[in-house]
Amino acid sequence: MAGYIFRRILQAIPVLLGTTFLIYFMVFAMPGDPLLALFGDKTPNPALLERLRQEYHLDQPFIVQYFLYLGGILRGDFGTSFSGEPVSEILARTFPVTIRLAIMALFIEFVGGVLIGLVSGLRKGKLFDASALVISLIFISLPIFVIAFVGQFIFGIQLGWARTTVSSGAPIQDLILPAFVLASITFAQIVRLTRASVIETQTLDFVRTAYGKGLTRRRIIPVHILRNSLIPVVTYAATDFGVLLVGATVTEGIFNVPGVGRTLYQAIIRGEGPTVVSFVTVMVLIYLVVNLVVDLLYGLLDPRIRYVK
């Protein structure tokens, strides 16, 4: 097990380097001068402009800027935004909000999707199954911003059950509605994936053997059917966690959530290379760790999986 984890960590290093290099290159290749954009319609002082270029290493070639950034990362320095605030402070302020939102959305979609998908798969062809398929298809077909605005209008304005915008500090109660909105589309995918996996698992030999041995459905469904049906669902959920971190931009914008998505979008517009690459670097690290944890969970869900040399 230790050797497997060590190999996965080694495999993550080129992924991390390649990702940061590509993102940094794309930011570097963006047209326009990000420093001139800071001054708007005003003409900056040439001496001040030159000093800022030297401070942010914008007078250096791309490859020099990239290696200077990597050196700062190794020292724990993520650089400074064009506003003068350390990127590490921006990360510390925004990432907890988005991670909290993503975890809430992942919990909603995973628990709700698995339960509905399980019942739908066990009752294939019945009214519940047909209703679940129709509702999931509706959620898959609707754009996220439509679901967000409808959720704001119904639950925020009409019923008054939730706030339409997130207040300062992003408390848990304010994130419930954005989390449901963020989870809506992937929730529908998990319902369908669980349903298909449950239907397939019920036809396998070990399930029929369990019934033949006289085991009750209360024992067979959670231990034999659900446990083996969760492997593709867990894989999808792990991938989806990274998608939730990045894809929260629209939801955070509509609900005014002070998280990563909105901050990252603003940094891209301003052409702030260090801020963008630092955010992406942390996202990639989280994504790699989550996938490693999921790989280790496979051994618990399916005892046939072993991590050997």
Side-chain angles (χ1 to χ4, degrees):
M1 179 69 74
Y4 173 79
I5 296 175
F6 181 71
R7 288 195 303 272
R8 287 297 305 270
I9 293 174
L10 290 180
Q11 293 170 2
I13 294 175
V15 174
L16 188 62
L17 291 176
T19 304
T20 55
F21 181 83
L22 288 174
I23 296 297
Y24 210 104
F25 175 77
M26 287 189 286
V27 174
F28 183 85
M30 289 177 64
D33 189 332
L35 288 181
L36 289 177
L38 289 176
F39 294 92
D41 297 332
K42 298 180 181 179
T43 302
N45 185 296
L48 174 61
L49 196 61
E50 183 62 26
R51 184 177 66 81
L52 289 175
R53 291 188 194 281
Q54 294 177 1
E55 180 180 346
Y56 292 103
H57 307 295
L58 297 179
D59 58 336
Q60 302 289 338
F62 160 72
I63 196 66
V64 175
Q65 292 186 40
Y66 176 69
F67 281 112
L68 286 173
Y69 168 77
L70 283 183
I73 291 295
L74 294 176
R75 298 191 305 270
D77 180 13
F78 287 93
T80 306
S81 68
F82 290 165
S83 63
E85 184 179 10
V87 176
S88 58
E89 294 184 4
I90 302 176
L91 287 168
R93 184 176 66 251
T94 58
F95 250 98
V97 176
T98 297
I99 290 178
R100 195 158 62 237
L101 176 63
I103 290 176
M104 291 174 64
L106 189 65
F107 177 81
I108 292 169
E109 70 182 40
F110 187 81
V111 175
V114 167
L115 289 177
I116 294 177
L118 174 63
V119 176
S120 182
L122 294 174
R123 301 178 63 84
K124 179 184 175 183
K126 303 294 180 62
L127 178 61
F128 184 92
D129 180 38
S131 302
L133 289 176
V134 170
I135 293 173
S136 64
L137 181 61
I138 292 174
F139 276 111
I140 292 173
S141 303
L142 290 176
I144 188 71
F145 65 87
V146 173
I147 299 175
F149 286 129
V150 171
Q152 277 185 325
F153 178 75
I154 295 177
F155 298 103
I157 298 175
Q158 294 293 323
L159 299 177
W161 291 355
R163 292 176 58 93
T164 55
T165 58
V166 176
S167 57
S168 177
I172 296 290
Q173 60 270 22
D174 286 3
L175 294 177
I176 293 177
L177 182 57
F180 270 98
V181 169
L182 189 59
S184 58
I185 295 179
T186 46
F187 161 81
Q189 297 284 8
I190 287 182
V191 168
R192 288 174 166 260
L193 185 59
T194 305
R195 174 186 179 273
S197 186
V198 167
I199 291 174
E200 180 183 359
T201 303
Q202 289 184 95
T203 64
L204 298 180
D205 292 338
F206 68 87
V207 175
R208 289 199 295 266
T209 302
Y211 279 114
K213 292 169 63 176
L215 295 180
T216 63
R217 284 175 60 86
R218 183 174 297 181
R219 172 70 177 175
I220 293 173
I221 290 174
V223 175
H224 297 278
I225 296 178
L226 179 59
R227 181 177 177 180
N228 289 276
S229 300
L230 281 179
I231 293 179
V233 180
V234 168
T235 304
Y236 178 83
T239 306
D240 185 55
F241 185 74
V243 175
L244 290 175
L245 286 177
V246 182
T249 304
V250 176
T251 305
E252 289 185 356
I254 294 175
F255 288 94
N256 196 34
V257 180
V260 168
R262 192 178 64 173
T263 306
L264 185 59
Y265 173 77
Q266 293 171 348
I268 293 173
I269 295 298
R270 291 193 296 263
E272 294 190 20
T275 305
V276 175
V277 181
S278 297
F279 272 61
V280 172
T281 301
V282 176
M283 287 179 179
V284 172
L285 284 172
I286 294 174
Y287 187 79
L288 292 173
V289 171
V290 169
N291 277 272
L292 175 59
V293 172
V294 169
D295 285 347
L296 297 178
L297 283 176
Y298 287 160
L300 298 177
L301 293 173
D302 190 345
R304 295 172 296 179
I305 300 175
R306 291 291 182 267
Y307 304 100
V308 295
K309 295 182 180 180

